[in-house]
Amino acid sequence: MEIKKAAMAGTLESSDAQVTVEPGENGIQLSIESSVIHQFGRQIKATVEETLERLEVTNAKVTVVDKGALDCTLKARVECAVYRSNGIAENIPWGGAVR
């Protein structure tokens, strides 16, 4: 799926994450800001990259500001931002239905 315009999902509240996607070139450019980056940085990166791969996003600038979100929250925020960037608002196959 192509990222057509900048879009954001999530909040900066505790136990959440704010994910921003923008059109990009030359693959995925991922920026992660988190107070727990040293403990969970690799897992956050893997979760975001896996979700983008399932959605078939190949070129994008992705920024994640993590406030202690669980993996399921990160996945939902990435999915929502990608769908918003494409103007998709109906019949969305959320969660595990996206393959």
Side-chain angles (χ1 to χ4, degrees), residues 8-53:
M8 184 185 333
T11 69
L12 296 176
E13 298 293 321
S14 181
S15 301
D16 200 356
Q18 187 176 69
V19 176
T20 305
V21 297
E22 301 174 69
E25 298 176 357
N26 303 321
I28 303 295
Q29 299 165 353
L30 179 58
S31 171
I32 301 171
E33 179 185 320
S34 175
S35 59
V36 293
I37 193 82
H38 298 295
Q39 294 95 339
F40 300 107
R42 279 183 257 174
Q43 182 61 38
I44 294 167
K45 181 180 179 188
T47 300
V48 172
E49 289 177 341
E50 173 190 306
T51 305
L52 292 169
E53 185 177 320

